[in-house]
Amino acid sequence: EPEVTQTPSHQVTQMGQEVILRCVPISNHLYFYWYRQILGQKVEFLVSFYNNEISEKSEIFDDQFSVERPDGSNFTLKIRSTKLEDSAMYFCASSPGQGLTYEQYFGPGTRLTVT
Amino acid sequence: GQQVMQIPQYQHVQEGEDFTTYCNSSTTLSNIQWYKQRPGGHPVFLIQLVKSGEVKKQKRLTFQFGEAKKNSSLHITATQTTDVGTYFCAQPRANNLFFGTGTRLTVIP
């Protein structure tokens, strides 16, 4: 069964450093998402992406964040200057269609630790 | 702002007991999805409810959507240790999923 993959599984970085989290969505999916989950808390939406542009972003997704689909398979989340409060699990997700009637398929996540 | 609350936040049950989590929204929902997240894992889609009063079953799991489409519930009959995890309801929107606060289920063997 096709699945979303993410690399790395765990990233440790120092405050102020840039990180890039990578995702390979399911191949025939058109809609891509990033979510984050601070330990023990709920899953929070960051950004959605379709047709090579951002569809929607939350207030968490400020100027320090960016997303890119550099080729036909990868979908990346970049955090330019990490803060301690960016420490969280970051999940990539994809879906074959938009929003209301489609389930989202989540990757295994990248645990980001900012020290 | 938008709130999707779940109760209880935590639930510990003996294996074989039943479990129910409730999801309540401050606004009317067009539809609702349920996801399960195992400890250390990622959210996995369980089901989607669309119609007012809809009830769907998956083996020991029963999902219900309220008549007013402002609440939903997930009931597990005779829990097993494989049921452990956090259960989230989520409101699908045009471009994202808005997750509820989740209910963490622990099953004691």
Side-chain angles (χ1 to χ4, degrees), chain B residues 13-16 79-81 84 106-109:
Chain B
V13 299
Q14 288 288 142
E15 189 173 16
T79 54
Q80 299 175 358
T81 54
V84 297
T106 302
V107 179
I108 304 161

Side-chain angles (χ1 to χ4, degrees), chain A residues 33 35 37 40-43 45 48 55-56 91 98-104 106-108, chain B residues 30-31 33 35 37 41-43 45 48 88 92-101 104:
Chain A
Y33 311 85
Y35 294 83
Q37 186 178 34
Q41 297 187 22
K42 71 173 186 176
V43 179
F45 168 73
S48 57
S55 305
E56 186 172 346
F91 292 107
Q98 189 179 33
L100 297 183
T101 57
Y102 291 92
E103 67 185 88
Q104 293 187 16
F106 284 77
Chain B
S30 56
N31 54 345
Q33 295 180 353
Y35 288 78
Q37 184 178 26
H42 58 279
F45 175 81
Q48 175 164 265
F88 291 99
R93 297 174 176 170
N95 295 303
N96 68 71
L97 271 177
F98 188 85
F99 279 82
T101 48
R104 184 179 301 176

Side-chain angles (χ1 to χ4, degrees), chain A residues 5-66:
Chain A
T5 59
Q6 289 185 245
T7 54
S9 56
H10 192 187
Q11 174 89 51
V12 181
T13 190
Q14 287 192 323
M15 195 167 54
Q17 295 296 305
E18 174 183 287
V19 294
I20 298 176
L21 310 183
R22 291 182 167 81
C23 168
V24 179
I26 294 172
S27 62
N28 62 345
H29 285 187
L30 301 175
Y31 297 84
F32 316 118
Y33 311 85
W34 283 100
Y35 294 83
R36 80 169 186 192
Q37 186 178 34
I38 295 169
L39 186 63
Q41 297 187 22
K42 71 173 186 176
V43 179
E44 298 176 291
F45 168 73
L46 291 177
V47 66
S48 57
F49 192 86
Y50 169 69
N51 201 26
N52 280 321
E53 60 183 28
I54 290 174
S55 305
E56 186 172 346
K57 57 184 180 179
S58 71
E59 57 191 27
I60 302 169
F61 193 90
D62 61 22
D63 292 345
Q64 293 300 312
F65 291 86
S66 62

